[in-house]
Amino acid sequence: MAGNSGSTGFLRRFAQSEAAPGIVLMICAALALVLANSPLAEPWHDLFHHRLAWTPIAKLYNLHLWINDALMAVFFFVVGLEIKREVLAGELADSRRRRLPVLAAIAGMAFPAAIFLLVAAGDPALHAGWAIPSATDIAFAIGVLAIAGKGLPPSLRLFLLTVAIVDDLGAVLVIAFFYTTGLDLAWLGAAAAILLGLALLNRFGIRAITPYLIGAALLWYAVLHSGVHATIAGVAAALTVPLALNRKHDSPLLRLEHALVTPNGFIVVPLFGLANAGVALTLGEGGSLTLPLAIALGLVLGKQIGVLGSIVLAEKLKIATRPEGASTRQLWGLSLLCGIGFTMSLFIAGLAFPATPLLVEESKLGILAGSLVSALGGLFLLKGSARVE
């Protein structure tokens, strides 16, 4: 009984730790990678890509589509809730405090894209993947930061979170504007009408959660058929959920975020990792190293140059000040952690090359390599850096 109680207590403490979602995601990614390079590779692939015997939505005809187009809408819904909370009541609400993380996030997206296009300049077929190395994975990055140990300034975590949230917003805009094709105006009109209805719920002071969840589901269904990627509906719906606090300092947005953050971190994102991280560690017939190299260099070098460079430049120009108590080594390590692009990078890779599975697989190699180097490099610089001035 005592042993059972101890293991239950450990699991509870682990689930409540900051590192837990990142560690679970790492385990799922590693499992997918092992299975994809084992004798079970073919049945593992078929599990996600084989056409289902029955599906209630014709467009989602296999498990991979259900995860990427439906379940990931929940991930984007949580992202939208986080963005709205930060903009209205968090770090992004204060113009002085948001200046540096916003600059760092923008530069941290621009430089990886520039390096990608520089490396892939000779092959126009690869140019659609320019946004793949621009993303930062919040769960992975925060997980590695937590593993780095105690003694780091609390301002580092806050800065990383804010940069990653702005980065997510940028990624959502990129998906909406650059990876949308074949619009169906009727479904798009229906989506706009549903979104307007959700906005009116907010405007008229509706605080019950259920109408927003029903509206979000309807919006997702309409967007799924509109030609815009269905997960954008998650962010759009989240932005209509009221944040206004009542006398108990509670709100529909905070209740939803609190309710969804655990299933998002321990179910949605790990399932996405299982379904998308599996890649053969050898180039297929006709494969090339150009795409993996462009993505890996974008993540490892581009993020460092963009994030750290913007912090140094902002300080020199007296535009903003660095996170309180943070050393240059710690900021360098943090900029490396921003190069962990896993979840969003894998997602964008599937959108960039929808008709070319070989390029998606090559993208995965670059994402995994770049994210691993960034994670290890950031961990090395941050580990024990509290004692380094």
Side-chain angles (χ1 to χ4, degrees), residues 203-295:
R203 179 69 181 83
F204 290 123
I206 305 301
R207 296 292 179 262
I209 288 176
T210 303
Y212 292 98
L213 292 178
I214 293 172
L218 293 173
L219 180 62
W220 168 81
Y221 187 81
V223 173
L224 176 68
H225 293 84
S226 71
V228 178
H229 199 272
T231 51
I232 297 298
V235 176
L239 296 180
T240 68
V241 178
L243 175 63
L245 300 175
N246 61 21
R247 275 181 272 183
K248 296 181 180 179
H249 296 282
D250 186 24
S251 77
L253 188 148
L254 295 178
R255 287 202 304 275
L256 274 173
E257 188 179 1
H258 180 73
L260 292 174
V261 69
T262 299
N264 185 57
F266 290 99
I267 299 174
V268 176
V269 175
L271 276 175
F272 177 83
L274 281 172
N276 291 273
V279 57
L281 296 178
T282 54
L283 290 172
E285 187 178 344
S288 165
L289 280 174
T290 303
L291 181 57
L293 189 62
I295 293 170

Coordinates of all heavy atoms in Angstrom, one line a residue, residues 203-295:
R203 N -20.2 40.1 -26.8 CA -20.6 41.5 -26.8 C -21.8 41.7 -25.8 O -22.0 42.7 -25.1 CB -21.0 42.0 -28.2 CG -21.5 43.5 -28.2 CD -20.4 44.4 -27.9 NE -20.8 45.8 -27.9 CZ -21.4 46.4 -26.9 NH1 -21.6 45.8 -25.8 NH2 -21.8 47.7 -27.1
F204 N -22.7 40.7 -25.8 CA -23.9 40.8 -25.0 C -23.7 40.2 -23.6 O -24.7 39.9 -22.9 CB -25.1 40.1 -25.7 CG -25.6 40.9 -26.9 CD1 -25.6 40.3 -28.2 CD2 -26.0 42.2 -26.8 CE1 -26.1 41.0 -29.3 CE2 -26.4 42.9 -27.9 CZ -26.5 42.3 -29.1
G205 N -22.5 39.9 -23.3 CA -22.2 39.5 -21.9 C -22.5 38.1 -21.5 O -22.7 37.8 -20.3
I206 N -22.6 37.2 -22.5 CA -22.8 35.8 -22.2 C -21.6 35.2 -21.6 O -20.5 35.2 -22.2 CB -23.2 35.0 -23.5 CG1 -24.4 35.6 -24.2 CG2 -23.5 33.5 -23.1 CD1 -25.7 35.7 -23.3
R207 N -21.7 34.6 -20.3 CA -20.5 34.1 -19.6 C -20.6 32.6 -19.5 O -19.6 32.0 -19.0 CB -20.5 34.7 -18.2 CG -20.3 36.2 -18.2 CD -18.9 36.6 -18.7 NE -18.6 38.0 -18.8 CZ -18.7 38.7 -19.9 NH1 -19.1 38.2 -21.0 NH2 -18.4 40.0 -19.9
A208 N -21.6 31.9 -19.9 CA -21.7 30.5 -19.9 C -20.7 29.9 -20.9 O -20.6 30.5 -22.0 CB -23.1 30.0 -20.2
I209 N -20.0 28.8 -20.6 CA -19.0 28.3 -21.5 C -19.6 27.5 -22.7 O -19.1 27.5 -23.8 CB -18.0 27.4 -20.7 CG1 -17.1 28.3 -19.8 CG2 -17.2 26.5 -21.6 CD1 -16.2 27.5 -18.9
T210 N -20.7 26.8 -22.4 CA -21.3 25.9 -23.4 C -21.6 26.5 -24.8 O -21.2 25.9 -25.8 CB -22.6 25.2 -22.9 OG1 -22.3 24.5 -21.7 CG2 -23.1 24.2 -23.9
P211 N -22.2 27.7 -24.8 CA -22.4 28.3 -26.1 C -21.1 28.6 -26.9 O -21.1 28.4 -28.2 CB -23.1 29.7 -25.8 CG -23.7 29.4 -24.5 CD -22.8 28.5 -23.7
Y212 N -20.1 28.9 -26.3 CA -18.8 29.1 -26.9 C -18.2 27.8 -27.5 O -17.6 27.8 -28.6 CB -17.8 29.8 -26.0 CG -18.2 31.3 -25.7 CD1 -18.9 31.5 -24.5 CD2 -18.0 32.3 -26.5 CE1 -19.3 32.8 -24.1 CE2 -18.4 33.6 -26.2 CZ -19.0 33.8 -25.0 OH -19.4 35.1 -24.7
L213 N -18.4 26.8 -26.7 CA -17.9 25.5 -27.2 C -18.6 25.0 -28.4 O -18.1 24.4 -29.3 CB -17.9 24.4 -26.0 CG -16.9 24.7 -24.9 CD1 -17.1 23.6 -23.8 CD2 -15.5 24.7 -25.4
I214 N -20.0 25.1 -28.3 CA -20.8 24.7 -29.5 C -20.5 25.6 -30.7 O -20.3 25.0 -31.8 CB -22.3 24.9 -29.1 CG1 -22.7 23.9 -28.0 CG2 -23.2 24.7 -30.4 CD1 -24.1 24.1 -27.5
G215 N -20.3 26.9 -30.5 CA -20.0 27.7 -31.6 C -18.6 27.4 -32.2 O -18.4 27.4 -33.4
A216 N -17.6 27.1 -31.3 CA -16.3 26.7 -31.7 C -16.3 25.4 -32.6 O -15.6 25.4 -33.6 CB -15.4 26.5 -30.5
A217 N -17.1 24.5 -32.2 CA -17.2 23.2 -33.0 C -17.9 23.5 -34.3 O -17.4 23.0 -35.4 CB -18.1 22.2 -32.2
L218 N -18.9 24.3 -34.4 CA -19.5 24.7 -35.7 C -18.6 25.4 -36.5 O -18.5 25.2 -37.8 CB -20.8 25.5 -35.4 CG -22.0 24.7 -34.7 CD1 -23.1 25.7 -34.4 CD2 -22.5 23.6 -35.6
L219 N -17.8 26.4 -35.9 CA -16.8 27.1 -36.7 C -15.8 26.2 -37.3 O -15.4 26.4 -38.5 CB -16.2 28.2 -35.8 CG -15.1 29.1 -36.4 CD1 -15.8 29.9 -37.5 CD2 -14.5 30.0 -35.4
W220 N -15.3 25.3 -36.5 CA -14.3 24.3 -37.0 C -14.8 23.6 -38.2 O -14.1 23.4 -39.2 CB -13.9 23.4 -35.8 CG -13.1 22.2 -36.3 CD1 -11.7 22.2 -36.6 CD2 -13.6 20.9 -36.7 NE1 -11.4 20.9 -37.1 CE2 -12.5 20.1 -37.1 CE3 -14.8 20.3 -36.6 CZ2 -12.6 18.8 -37.5 CZ3 -15.0 19.0 -37.0 CH2 -13.9 18.3 -37.5
Y221 N -16.0 23.1 -38.1 CA -16.6 22.3 -39.2 C -16.7 23.1 -40.5 O -16.4 22.6 -41.6 CB -18.0 21.8 -38.8 CG -18.6 20.8 -39.8 CD1 -18.2 19.5 -39.8 CD2 -19.5 21.2 -40.7 CE1 -18.8 18.6 -40.7 CE2 -20.1 20.3 -41.6 CZ -19.7 19.0 -41.6 OH -20.2 18.1 -42.5
A222 N -17.1 24.4 -40.3 CA -17.3 25.3 -41.5 C -15.9 25.6 -42.1 O -15.7 25.5 -43.3 CB -18.0 26.6 -41.1
V223 N -14.9 25.9 -41.2 CA -13.6 26.2 -41.7 C -12.9 25.0 -42.4 O -12.2 25.1 -43.4 CB -12.7 26.7 -40.6 CG1 -11.2 26.9 -41.0 CG2 -13.2 28.1 -40.1
L224 N -13.2 23.8 -41.8 CA -12.7 22.5 -42.4 C -13.0 22.4 -43.9 O -12.2 21.9 -44.7 CB -13.2 21.3 -41.6 CG -12.8 19.9 -42.1 CD1 -11.3 19.7 -41.9 CD2 -13.6 18.9 -41.4
H225 N -14.2 22.9 -44.2 CA -14.7 22.7 -45.6 C -14.4 24.0 -46.5 O -14.8 24.0 -47.6 CB -16.2 22.4 -45.6 CG -16.5 21.1 -45.1 ND1 -16.6 20.8 -43.7 CD2 -16.7 19.9 -45.7 CE1 -16.9 19.6 -43.5 NE2 -16.9 18.9 -44.7
S226 N -13.8 25.0 -45.9 CA -13.7 26.3 -46.5 C -12.4 26.5 -47.4 O -12.3 27.4 -48.2 CB -13.7 27.4 -45.5 OG -12.5 27.5 -44.8
G227 N -11.4 25.6 -47.1 CA -10.1 25.8 -47.8 C -9.1 26.4 -46.9 O -7.9 26.3 -47.1
V228 N -9.5 27.1 -45.8 CA -8.6 27.6 -44.8 C -8.3 26.4 -43.9 O -9.2 25.6 -43.6 CB -9.2 28.8 -44.0 CG1 -8.3 29.2 -42.9 CG2 -9.5 29.9 -44.9
H229 N -7.1 26.3 -43.4 CA -6.8 25.1 -42.5 C -7.7 25.2 -41.3 O -7.9 26.2 -40.6 CB -5.4 25.0 -42.1 CG -5.0 23.7 -41.7 ND1 -5.1 23.2 -40.4 CD2 -4.6 22.6 -42.4 CE1 -4.8 22.0 -40.3 NE2 -4.4 21.5 -41.5
A230 N -8.3 24.0 -41.0 CA -9.3 23.9 -39.9 C -8.8 24.4 -38.6 O -9.6 24.9 -37.8 CB -9.8 22.5 -39.8
T231 N -7.5 24.2 -38.3 CA -7.1 24.6 -36.9 C -7.1 26.1 -36.7 O -7.1 26.5 -35.5 CB -5.6 24.1 -36.7 OG1 -4.8 24.5 -37.9 CG2 -5.6 22.6 -36.7
I232 N -7.2 26.9 -37.7 CA -7.3 28.3 -37.6 C -8.6 28.7 -36.8 O -8.7 29.6 -36.1 CB -7.3 29.0 -38.9 CG1 -5.9 28.8 -39.6 CG2 -7.5 30.5 -38.8 CD1 -4.7 29.3 -38.9
A233 N -9.6 27.8 -37.0 CA -10.8 28.0 -36.3 C -10.6 28.0 -34.8 O -11.3 28.7 -34.0 CB -11.9 26.9 -36.7
G234 N -9.7 27.2 -34.3 CA -9.4 27.1 -32.9 C -9.0 28.4 -32.3 O -9.5 28.9 -31.3
V235 N -8.1 29.1 -33.0 CA -7.6 30.4 -32.5 C -8.7 31.4 -32.6 O -8.9 32.2 -31.7 CB -6.4 30.9 -33.4 CG1 -5.9 32.3 -32.9 CG2 -5.2 29.9 -33.2
A236 N -9.4 31.5 -33.8 CA -10.5 32.4 -34.0 C -11.5 32.3 -32.9 O -12.0 33.3 -32.3 CB -11.1 32.3 -35.4
A237 N -12.0 31.1 -32.6 CA -13.0 30.9 -31.6 C -12.5 31.3 -30.2 O -13.3 31.9 -29.4 CB -13.4 29.4 -31.6
A238 N -11.3 31.0 -29.9 CA -10.7 31.3 -28.6 C -10.7 32.8 -28.3 O -10.9 33.3 -27.2 CB -9.3 30.8 -28.5
L239 N -10.5 33.6 -29.4 CA -10.4 35.1 -29.2 C -11.7 35.7 -28.9 O -11.8 36.9 -28.5 CB -9.8 35.7 -30.5 CG -8.4 35.3 -30.8 CD1 -7.9 36.0 -32.1 CD2 -7.4 35.6 -29.7
T240 N -12.8 34.9 -29.1 CA -14.2 35.5 -28.8 C -14.6 35.1 -27.3 O -15.6 35.7 -26.8 CB -15.2 34.9 -29.7 OG1 -15.4 33.5 -29.4 CG2 -14.9 35.1 -31.2
V241 N -13.8 34.3 -26.6 CA -14.2 33.9 -25.3 C -13.9 35.0 -24.3 O -12.8 35.5 -24.3 CB -13.4 32.6 -24.9 CG1 -13.8 32.2 -23.4 CG2 -13.8 31.4 -25.8
P242 N -14.8 35.4 -23.5 CA -14.6 36.6 -22.6 C -13.5 36.3 -21.5 O -13.5 35.2 -20.9 CB -16.0 36.8 -21.9 CG -16.9 36.0 -22.7 CD -16.2 34.8 -23.3
L243 N -12.7 37.3 -21.3 CA -11.7 37.3 -20.2 C -12.2 38.0 -19.0 O -11.7 37.8 -17.9 CB -10.4 37.9 -20.7 CG -9.3 38.0 -19.6 CD1 -8.9 36.6 -19.1 CD2 -8.1 38.8 -20.1
A244 N -13.2 38.9 -19.1 CA -13.6 39.8 -18.0 C -13.8 39.0 -16.7 O -14.6 38.0 -16.7 CB -14.9 40.5 -18.4
L245 N -13.2 39.5 -15.7 CA -13.2 38.8 -14.4 C -14.4 39.2 -13.6 O -14.9 40.3 -13.6 CB -11.9 39.1 -13.6 CG -10.6 38.8 -14.2 CD1 -9.5 39.3 -13.3 CD2 -10.4 37.3 -14.3
N246 N -15.0 38.2 -12.9 CA -16.1 38.5 -12.0 C -15.5 38.8 -10.6 O -14.3 38.9 -10.4 CB -17.1 37.3 -11.9 CG -16.4 36.0 -11.4 OD1 -15.4 36.0 -10.8 ND2 -17.0 34.9 -11.8
R247 N -16.4 38.9 -9.6 CA -15.9 39.2 -8.3 C -15.0 38.2 -7.6 O -14.3 38.4 -6.7 CB -17.1 39.5 -7.4 CG -17.7 40.9 -7.5 CD -18.8 41.2 -6.6 NE -20.1 40.8 -7.2 CZ -21.3 41.0 -6.7 NH1 -21.4 41.5 -5.4 NH2 -22.4 40.7 -7.3
K248 N -15.1 37.0 -8.2 CA -14.2 35.9 -7.7 C -13.0 35.8 -8.5 O -12.2 34.8 -8.4 CB -15.0 34.5 -7.7 CG -16.2 34.5 -6.8 CD -16.9 33.2 -6.9 CE -18.1 33.1 -6.0 NZ -18.8 31.8 -6.1
H249 N -12.7 36.8 -9.3 CA -11.5 36.8 -10.2 C -11.5 35.5 -11.1 O -10.4 34.9 -11.3 CB -10.2 36.9 -9.4 CG -10.1 38.1 -8.6 ND1 -9.7 39.3 -9.2 CD2 -10.4 38.4 -7.3 CE1 -9.7 40.3 -8.2 NE2 -10.1 39.8 -7.1
D250 N -12.6 35.2 -11.6 CA -12.8 34.1 -12.5 C -13.4 34.6 -13.8 O -14.0 35.6 -13.9 CB -13.7 33.0 -11.9 CG -13.8 31.8 -12.7 OD1 -12.9 31.5 -13.4 OD2 -14.8 31.1 -12.6
S251 N -13.2 33.8 -14.9 CA -13.7 34.2 -16.2 C -13.9 33.0 -17.0 O -13.2 31.9 -16.8 CB -12.9 35.2 -16.9 OG -11.7 34.6 -17.5
P252 N -14.8 33.0 -18.1 CA -14.9 31.8 -19.0 C -13.5 31.4 -19.6 O -13.2 30.3 -19.7 CB -15.9 32.3 -20.0 CG -16.7 33.3 -19.3 CD -15.7 34.0 -18.4
L253 N -12.7 32.4 -20.0 CA -11.5 32.1 -20.6 C -10.5 31.4 -19.7 O -9.9 30.4 -20.1 CB -10.8 33.5 -21.1 CG -9.5 33.3 -22.0 CD1 -9.4 34.4 -23.0 CD2 -8.3 33.2 -21.1
L254 N -10.4 31.9 -18.5 CA -9.5 31.2 -17.5 C -10.0 29.8 -17.1 O -9.2 28.9 -17.0 CB -9.4 32.1 -16.2 CG -8.7 33.5 -16.4 CD1 -8.8 34.2 -15.1 CD2 -7.3 33.3 -16.9
R255 N -11.3 29.7 -17.0 CA -11.9 28.3 -16.7 C -11.6 27.3 -17.9 O -11.1 26.2 -17.6 CB -13.4 28.4 -16.5 CG -13.8 29.0 -15.2 CD -15.2 28.6 -14.7 NE -16.2 28.9 -15.7 CZ -16.8 30.1 -15.9 NH1 -16.5 31.1 -15.1 NH2 -17.8 30.2 -16.8
L256 N -11.8 27.8 -19.1 CA -11.5 26.9 -20.3 C -10.0 26.6 -20.4 O -9.6 25.5 -20.6 CB -12.0 27.6 -21.6 CG -13.4 27.4 -21.9 CD1 -13.8 28.2 -23.1 CD2 -13.7 25.9 -22.2
E257 N -9.2 27.6 -20.2 CA -7.7 27.4 -20.3 C -7.3 26.4 -19.2 O -6.5 25.5 -19.5 CB -7.0 28.7 -20.1 CG -5.5 28.6 -20.4 CD -4.7 29.9 -20.3 OE1 -5.4 31.0 -20.0 OE2 -3.5 29.9 -20.5
H258 N -7.8 26.6 -18.0 CA -7.4 25.7 -16.9 C -7.9 24.3 -17.2 O -7.2 23.3 -16.9 CB -8.0 26.2 -15.6 CG -7.7 25.3 -14.4 ND1 -6.5 25.3 -13.8 CD2 -8.5 24.4 -13.7 CE1 -6.5 24.4 -12.8 NE2 -7.7 23.9 -12.7
A259 N -9.1 24.1 -17.8 CA -9.6 22.8 -18.0 C -8.9 22.1 -19.2 O -8.8 20.9 -19.2 CB -11.1 22.9 -18.4
L260 N -8.4 22.9 -20.2 CA -7.9 22.3 -21.4 C -6.3 22.1 -21.3 O -5.8 21.4 -22.1 CB -8.3 23.1 -22.6 CG -9.7 23.1 -23.0 CD1 -10.0 24.1 -24.1 CD2 -10.2 21.7 -23.4
V261 N -5.7 22.8 -20.5 CA -4.2 22.8 -20.5 C -3.6 21.4 -20.3 O -2.6 21.0 -20.9 CB -3.6 23.9 -19.6 CG1 -3.8 23.5 -18.1 CG2 -2.1 24.1 -19.8
T262 N -4.2 20.7 -19.3 CA -3.7 19.3 -19.1 C -4.0 18.4 -20.2 O -3.0 17.7 -20.7 CB -4.3 18.8 -17.7 OG1 -3.9 19.7 -16.7 CG2 -3.8 17.4 -17.4
P263 N -5.2 18.2 -20.7 CA -5.4 17.3 -21.8 C -4.6 17.7 -23.1 O -4.2 16.9 -23.9 CB -6.9 17.3 -22.1 CG -7.5 18.5 -21.3 CD -6.5 18.7 -20.2
N264 N -4.5 19.1 -23.2 CA -3.7 19.5 -24.4 C -2.2 19.1 -24.3 O -1.6 18.6 -25.2 CB -3.8 21.1 -24.4 CG -3.1 21.6 -25.6 OD1 -3.4 21.3 -26.8 ND2 -2.1 22.5 -25.4
G265 N -1.7 19.2 -23.0 CA -0.3 18.9 -22.9 C 0.0 17.4 -22.8 O 1.1 17.0 -23.2
F266 N -0.9 16.6 -22.3 CA -0.7 15.2 -22.0 C -1.4 14.3 -23.0 O -1.2 13.1 -23.0 CB -1.1 14.8 -20.6 CG -0.2 15.4 -19.6 CD1 -0.5 16.6 -18.9 CD2 1.1 14.9 -19.3 CE1 0.3 17.1 -18.0 CE2 1.9 15.4 -18.4 CZ 1.5 16.6 -17.7
I267 N -2.3 14.8 -23.8 CA -3.0 14.0 -24.8 C -2.9 14.5 -26.2 O -2.3 13.8 -27.1 CB -4.5 13.8 -24.5 CG1 -4.7 13.2 -23.1 CG2 -5.3 13.0 -25.5 CD1 -6.2 13.2 -22.6
V268 N -3.3 15.7 -26.5 CA -3.3 16.3 -27.8 C -1.9 16.3 -28.4 O -1.7 15.7 -29.5 CB -4.0 17.6 -27.9 CG1 -3.9 18.2 -29.3 CG2 -5.4 17.6 -27.4
V269 N -1.0 17.1 -27.8 CA 0.3 17.2 -28.4 C 1.1 15.9 -28.4 O 1.8 15.7 -29.4 CB 1.1 18.3 -27.6 CG1 2.5 18.5 -28.1 CG2 0.4 19.7 -27.7
P270 N 1.1 15.1 -27.4 CA 1.8 13.8 -27.5 C 1.2 12.9 -28.6 O 2.0 12.3 -29.3 CB 1.5 13.1 -26.1 CG 1.4 14.3 -25.2 CD 0.6 15.3 -26.0
L271 N -0.1 12.9 -28.8 CA -0.6 12.1 -30.0 C -0.2 12.7 -31.3 O 0.1 12.0 -32.2 CB -2.2 12.2 -29.9 CG -2.8 11.1 -29.0 CD1 -4.3 11.3 -29.0 CD2 -2.5 9.7 -29.5
F272 N -0.1 14.0 -31.4 CA 0.4 14.6 -32.6 C 1.9 14.2 -32.8 O 2.3 13.9 -33.9 CB 0.4 16.2 -32.5 CG 1.0 16.9 -33.7 CD1 0.2 17.1 -34.8 CD2 2.3 17.4 -33.6 CE1 0.8 17.7 -35.9 CE2 2.8 18.0 -34.7 CZ 2.1 18.2 -35.9
G273 N 2.7 14.2 -31.7 CA 4.1 13.7 -31.9 C 4.1 12.3 -32.3 O 5.0 12.0 -33.2
L274 N 3.3 11.4 -31.8 CA 3.3 10.0 -32.2 C 2.9 9.9 -33.7 O 3.5 9.0 -34.4 CB 2.3 9.2 -31.3 CG 2.7 8.8 -29.9 CD1 1.5 8.2 -29.2 CD2 3.9 7.8 -30.0
A275 N 2.0 10.7 -34.1 CA 1.5 10.6 -35.5 C 2.4 11.2 -36.5 O 2.4 10.9 -37.7 CB 0.1 11.2 -35.6
N276 N 3.3 12.1 -36.1 CA 4.0 12.9 -37.0 C 5.6 12.9 -36.9 O 6.2 13.2 -37.9 CB 3.6 14.4 -36.9 CG 2.2 14.6 -37.4 OD1 2.0 14.9 -38.6 ND2 1.2 14.6 -36.5
A277 N 6.1 12.4 -35.8 CA 7.5 12.5 -35.6 C 8.2 11.3 -36.2 O 9.5 11.3 -36.3 CB 7.9 12.6 -34.1
G278 N 7.5 10.2 -36.5 CA 8.1 9.0 -37.0 C 8.7 9.2 -38.4 O 7.9 9.5 -39.4
V279 N 10.0 9.1 -38.6 CA 10.6 9.3 -39.9 C 11.8 8.3 -40.0 O 12.6 8.2 -39.0 CB 11.1 10.8 -40.1 CG1 12.0 11.2 -39.0 CG2 11.7 11.0 -41.4
A280 N 12.0 7.7 -41.2 CA 13.2 6.9 -41.4 C 14.4 7.7 -41.4 O 14.5 8.8 -42.0 CB 13.0 6.2 -42.7
L281 N 15.4 7.3 -40.7 CA 16.7 8.1 -40.5 C 17.6 7.9 -41.7 O 18.8 8.1 -41.6 CB 17.4 7.7 -39.2 CG 16.6 8.1 -38.0 CD1 17.3 7.7 -36.7 CD2 16.3 9.6 -37.9
T282 N 17.1 7.5 -42.8 CA 17.8 7.4 -44.1 C 17.0 8.1 -45.2 O 15.8 8.1 -45.2 CB 18.1 6.0 -44.5 OG1 16.8 5.3 -44.6 CG2 19.0 5.3 -43.5
L283 N 17.7 8.8 -46.1 CA 17.0 9.4 -47.2 C 16.4 8.4 -48.1 O 17.1 7.5 -48.5 CB 18.0 10.4 -47.9 CG 18.4 11.6 -47.1 CD1 19.5 12.3 -47.9 CD2 17.3 12.6 -46.9
G284 N 15.2 8.6 -48.6 CA 14.6 7.7 -49.5 C 15.2 7.9 -50.9 O 16.0 8.8 -51.2
E285 N 14.7 7.1 -51.8 CA 15.2 7.2 -53.2 C 14.9 8.6 -53.8 O 13.7 9.1 -53.7 CB 14.5 6.1 -54.1 CG 15.1 6.0 -55.5 CD 14.4 4.9 -56.3 OE1 13.8 4.0 -55.7 OE2 14.5 4.9 -57.5
G286 N 15.9 9.2 -54.4 CA 15.7 10.6 -54.9 C 15.7 11.6 -53.8 O 15.5 12.8 -54.1
G287 N 16.1 11.3 -52.6 CA 16.1 12.2 -51.5 C 17.4 13.1 -51.6 O 18.4 12.8 -52.3
S288 N 17.3 14.2 -50.9 CA 18.4 15.2 -50.9 C 18.6 15.7 -49.5 O 17.6 15.8 -48.7 CB 18.1 16.3 -51.9 OG 19.0 17.4 -51.6
L289 N 19.8 16.2 -49.1 CA 20.1 16.8 -47.8 C 19.8 18.3 -47.8 O 19.8 18.9 -46.7 CB 21.5 16.5 -47.4 CG 21.9 15.2 -46.9 CD1 23.4 15.0 -46.7 CD2 21.2 14.9 -45.5
T290 N 19.4 18.9 -48.9 CA 19.2 20.3 -49.0 C 18.1 20.8 -48.0 O 18.3 21.7 -47.3 CB 18.9 20.8 -50.4 OG1 20.0 20.4 -51.3 CG2 18.8 22.3 -50.5
L291 N 17.0 20.1 -48.1 CA 15.8 20.5 -47.3 C 16.1 20.3 -45.8 O 15.9 21.2 -45.0 CB 14.6 19.8 -47.7 CG 13.3 20.2 -47.0 CD1 13.0 21.7 -47.0 CD2 12.1 19.4 -47.5
P292 N 16.6 19.1 -45.4 CA 16.9 19.0 -43.9 C 17.9 20.0 -43.4 O 17.8 20.5 -42.3 CB 17.4 17.5 -43.9 CG 16.9 16.8 -45.0 CD 16.7 17.9 -46.1
L293 N 18.9 20.2 -44.3 CA 20.0 21.2 -43.9 C 19.5 22.6 -43.7 O 19.8 23.3 -42.8 CB 21.1 21.1 -44.9 CG 22.4 21.9 -44.5 CD1 23.0 21.3 -43.3 CD2 23.4 21.9 -45.7
A294 N 18.6 23.0 -44.7 CA 18.0 24.3 -44.6 C 17.2 24.5 -43.4 O 17.2 25.6 -42.7 CB 17.2 24.6 -45.9
I295 N 16.4 23.5 -43.0 CA 15.6 23.6 -41.8 C 16.4 23.6 -40.5 O 16.2 24.4 -39.6 CB 14.5 22.5 -41.8 CG1 13.5 22.6 -42.9 CG2 13.8 22.4 -40.5 CD1 12.6 21.4 -43.2

